[in-house]
Amino acid sequence: MTDDTLGRIVSAEPGDGHIRVASLLGTQTLPLRELYRRSGRVARWLLEQGIRPGDRIGILAANSLEWVLLDLAALRLKAETAGFEPGKFAPTTDLVDRYGIRLLFTDRPVQAPGTVPISEVAQLSQRADLDGAPLPPVTWGPKDVTTVKFTSGSTGEPKGLGATAGSIDSSLRAVQEIFEHGPGDDLFVFLPLSLLQQRYWVYSALLHGHDITVSTYEAAFAALRRVRPTVVMGVPAFYETAKRQIQARMRRGDGQTAGQAARSVFGDRIRYLWTGSAPAASGMLSFFTEAGLPIYEGYGLNETCIVTKNHPKAHRDGSVGKVLPGKEVLIGEDGVVTVRSEHPVNDHYAYGRPGDSERVFGPDGTVRTGDLGYVDEDGFLFIRGRADDVIVLDNGKKVIVRPIEEDMKADPAIAECVLFCPGQTELVAVVSPATEPADEKAIAARLAHTNASRAADERIGRAIVADPPFSIDNGLLTSQYKPKRGRILDVYHDAVHDPEEGIHAV
């Protein structure tokens, strides 16, 4: 048994606490003890289907109670899961064969062999005839793979990575130490459960007796007001949307302060907001903190789990926090951040192209993140941008694009900004507007404002306004709401390369 985390989850009933599953139709609530009992029934059914330790089941479905039941049932059998994101994968025989799936559970229409409608899991979980003898005892060792998780896929085909039990244990312990989640807390999760970190908070509830609410992005804002969570696990794009909603409430003229309007959106019990997965704008962070909803940014990758986190006892504006126990951050001569873990997620990709593992994982298991950063004298990590996103102009000048993009995004009229450099001579921005129709006057004003504080080589020549705005549905954002740079350039290639197109700087 690894220690007191996954071992406790599979070996004993949880304490008090509830799981809520929120949709646009309402909220379903179960005590965690009932969740555990139902997962046992699903596990016994999986045993009847021949699932044994080391076998792999796949889940390709939107967030649901059935998703959680399957994941917990697999843990209790020491079976692996593979979480496939809807829209990125299709439930086909090829998928089952490629990833070694014994059974694939999905909410998509499909007739492929080896697939099971995930709706059947709800019925299985309530079958009293599946209340039988105790499940065979299982032991999770630190290097045992619990799940295959996939990269966000911002470029190319997603890479598959086997996540070890030790990496999950280490992350959960570190987070619990600094945030002390417990009875009275309700952690709100809405990103896809195919992203392993979203499942961390279900595991945390089972371990520490707090509530957990699982929603979808579509239902998130409606659910927030109903369930009144104490913690929201989000990404910057979500909070930027929330910020615009709060500001709209304040403009209606009913005298609401920022704090009152924020509580109208998030409920009145927020203890703190969690953000990560993508860079957060300083203006957004300060907006929520000043409204009485402290928000803490962190840093981590699919390949590293959580590496650093700001928190109530250690916080520095502009940083992504201090290094968590079990992690070590190294800065190379080229300024690239490398991470060493006491319990690595893994030391190679299980699925990827030739050379993918070697480009990321060092011989000693360290992970080259590809991010440029530095650690200050007090141990706070600052991320400057992606090494791949440094533009080299024809005069040899190197331009780090992230600070410029963040400056543009600080304007309420702009949701996202991605810089390109056609011909290595001129910076061109593709901006995703925050409203439809786009406020081109405000975008032009922001372009002038951003350029005014920049050296000549760092000034943006033109801004192309995306129509329609970037979204997951049109393939220009990942499931974690990060812009897909390569895809954006493909779509706007002609406009980026046409010197007559766009809003020109003055």
Side-chain angles (χ1 to χ4, degrees):
M1 193 174 294
T2 53
D3 56 24
D4 61 349
T5 51
L6 290 188
R8 284 169 52 199
I9 288 174
V10 302
S11 63
E13 281 198 4
D16 294 334
H18 295 79
I19 182 170
R20 297 181 177 89
V21 181
S23 70
L24 292 173
L25 300 177
T27 304
Q28 181 182 6
T29 302
L30 278 182
L32 292 177
R33 290 191 181 94
E34 179 63 17
L35 175 75
Y36 187 83
R37 282 191 285 272
R38 293 192 186 188
S39 73
R41 293 168 184 159
V42 176
R44 291 184 186 91
W45 182 84
L46 290 173
L47 280 174
E48 291 178 357
Q49 309 311 304
I51 300 298
R52 296 294 182 269
D55 289 342
R56 185 179 296 162
I57 65 170
I59 309 171
L60 196 167
N63 290 359
S64 64
L65 179 61
E66 291 79 9
W67 218 119
V68 177
L69 287 167
L70 282 166
D71 185 59
L72 183 52
L75 281 177
R76 296 179 66 178
L77 295 178
K78 204 178 180 181
E80 293 182 20
T81 55
F84 299 107
E85 183 184 325
K88 190 179 293 181
F89 297 91
T92 63
T93 301
D94 288 344
L95 183 78
V96 171
D97 292 342
R98 178 179 183 188
Y99 295 109
I101 304 298
R102 290 289 305 275
L103 292 172
L104 175 66
F105 296 85
T106 183
D107 59 3
R108 316 284 121 159
V110 66
Q111 301 296 325
T115 58
V116 180
I118 199 170
S119 58
E120 292 185 10
V121 175
Q123 302 164 18
L124 292 169
S125 73
Q126 299 185 64
R127 278 177 46 184
D129 62 302
L130 289 171
D131 286 325
L135 293 168
V138 300
T139 300
W140 283 103
K143 295 185 178 180
D144 291 333
V145 170
T146 74
T147 190
V148 177
K149 57 179 181 175
F150 296 90
T151 59
S152 60
S154 57
T155 57
E157 185 175 351
K159 296 182 286 288
L161 181 70
T164 60
S167 68
I168 297 172
D169 287 342
S170 177
S171 296
L172 286 171
R173 287 198 311 273
V175 169
Q176 182 62 16
E177 182 178 325
I178 57 178
F179 286 110
E180 300 177 338
H181 301 132
D185 272 323
D186 185 351
L187 277 58
F188 187 88
V189 173
F190 62 86
L191 293 176
L193 291 171
S194 54
L195 304 171
L196 174 60
Q197 188 176 321
Q198 306 312 301
R199 285 175 265 161
Y200 279 7
W201 315 123
V202 178
Y203 304 159
S204 176
L206 293 165
L207 291 165
H208 303 299
H210 59 75
D211 292 348
I212 174 77
T213 296
V214 177
S215 179
T216 62
Y217 188 89
E218 293 77 14
F221 285 108
L224 280 169
R225 293 187 289 273
R226 290 202 307 267
V227 303
R228 299 169 55 241
T230 62
V231 179
V232 177
M233 302 293 177
V235 291
F238 171 79
Y239 293 116
E240 292 285 3
T241 301
K243 177 185 172 184
R244 289 192 289 272
Q245 289 192 16
I246 292 165
Q247 290 171 326
R249 288 173 180 267
M250 295 169 64
R251 287 195 297 268
R252 289 173 191 163
D254 57 4
Q256 279 194 333
T257 65
Q260 291 169 331
R263 286 188 288 275
S264 297
V265 172
F266 284 90
D268 59 0
R269 296 203 305 143
I270 292 294
R271 182 155 74 90
Y272 76 92
L273 306 175
W274 171 298
T275 188
S277 300
S282 59
M284 180 272 287
L285 297 173
S286 60
F287 176 84
F288 281 103
T289 298
E290 291 167 5
L293 279 65
I295 183 168
Y296 299 109
E297 187 175 13
Y299 174 76
L301 279 71
N302 211 42
E303 295 81 359
T304 63
C305 284
I306 306 165
V307 177
T308 67
K309 189 70 184 177
N310 281 299
H311 56 91
K313 298 175 185 176
H315 177 263
R316 180 152 296 172
D317 289 346
S319 82
V320 290
K322 278 192 169 184
V323 181
L324 296 180
K327 303 290 185 184
E328 182 181 3
V329 168
L330 310 169
I331 308 296
E333 292 182 1
D334 55 0
V336 173
V337 176
T338 298
V339 175
R340 180 180 292 134
S341 302
E342 180 182 354
H343 295 288
V345 175
N346 215 307
D347 58 8
H348 67 282
Y349 293 112
Y351 300 94
R353 296 166 298 186
D356 279 346
S357 292
E358 291 76 9
R359 280 188 287 272
V360 174
F361 298 96
D364 60 351
T366 57
V367 174
R368 179 181 169 87
T369 68
D371 289 316
L372 298 170
Y374 66 94
V375 178
D376 72 6
E377 65 278 6
D378 295 319
F380 287 90
L381 175 64
F382 291 75
I383 300 296
R384 300 170 63 204
R386 293 285 298 170
D388 292 345
D389 297 333
V390 174
I391 290 174
V392 182
L393 302 177
D394 61 355
N395 62 5
K397 171 73 175 180
K398 293 182 179 180
V399 178
I400 299 176
V401 301
R402 175 177 166 180
I404 306 172
E405 293 170 345
E406 293 299 322
D407 200 340
M408 289 287 287
K409 287 168 56 179
D411 193 281
I414 300 173
E416 287 290 349
C417 174
V418 181
L419 286 182
F420 300 102
C421 189
Q424 306 307 112
T425 58
E426 176 191 40
L427 296 183
V428 176
V430 179
V431 299
S432 179
T435 60
E436 292 186 88
D439 187 342
E440 294 196 2
K441 183 177 179 181
I443 293 171
R446 190 66 192 187
L447 178 61
H449 177 276
T450 298
N451 283 342
S453 60
R454 302 282 166 187
D457 288 328
E458 296 179 332
R459 292 172 189 157
I460 302 169
R462 296 178 288 122
I464 310 299
V465 180
D467 184 18
F470 305 163
S471 71
I472 294 174
D473 290 340
N474 65 24
L476 300 184
L477 295 179
T478 72
S479 61
Q480 298 182 63
Y481 299 88
K482 300 177 187 177
K484 294 184 178 181
R485 292 178 182 269
R487 179 61 182 151
I488 291 165
L489 182 57
D490 288 343
V491 172
Y492 292 98
H493 178 275
D494 291 348
V496 167
H497 285 81
D498 185 343
E500 301 302 318
E501 285 286 333
I503 300 171
H504 288 69
V506 294

